[in-house]
Amino acid sequence: MAYDADNIFARILRGEIPCDKVYEDEHVLAFNDISPKCPVHVLVIPKGEYVSFDDFSAKASEAEIAAFTRAVGEIARAAGVADAGYRLIANAGANGGQEVPHYHVHILGGGPVGPMVCR
Ligand code: AMP
C-alpha cells in the first residue's frame, strides 16, 4: 500500500493541524488520542512515512526502529502506567481495523484495559 501523504498524522507531523504532544525526538512524535479509550491513551508515531507495522519493520532504519522502541517505553514510564501495566496495540490494515494509514502504536492504561479482543 502506498503512503498517503494527506493522512491525518502526516498533517500533524507537518504542523498543519494541532496535537496534544507528550513526546518528541528526531524520529518519533507522541500525542494523546483525540478520542481516548482509557484514562491514558497515547499514540506514538514515527516521523518517517510508514503505512503500518509491516511497512515500518521492513523499511525503517535501525536508528528509527531503536528510537521508536525506546520512546514507547519512555512514554509509558512517563505516563505512569509502567508499574501497574498497560497494553500496546498496533492495528494494521483492513482486518486489523487500522483507521489512520500512518504506522502508530496505542499505549492504553491508567486502569484495567479489558479483554484483549472482542469479536
Ligand atoms: P487506528 O484505528 O489504530 O488507526 O487508530 C487511529 C486513532 O487515531 C484513533 O484512536 C483515533 O481516535 C485517533 N485520532 C484520529 N485523529 C486524531 C487526531 N487529530 N489527534 C489525535 N488522535 C486522533
Side-chain angles (χ1 to χ4, degrees), residues 8-9 31-35 43 91 97-100 104 106:
I8 194 121
F9 293 170
F31 46 89
N32 287 312
D33 196 291
I34 202 166
S35 179
L43 301 172
N91 298 318
Q98 183 178 7
E99 295 172 5
V100 179
H104 54 281
H106 299 251

Side-chain angles (χ1 to χ4, degrees), residues 34-74:
I34 202 166
S35 179
K37 308 298 188 294
C38 282
V40 172
H41 188 171
V42 177
L43 301 172
V44 188
I45 72 174
K47 289 187 173 177
E49 295 185 346
Y50 304 105
V51 174
S52 65
F53 175 78
D54 181 66
D55 196 26
F56 184 71
S57 68
K59 297 179 188 160
S61 68
E62 307 295 314
E64 288 173 299
I65 292 170
F68 191 84
T69 303
R70 296 277 189 203
V72 170
E74 186 175 330

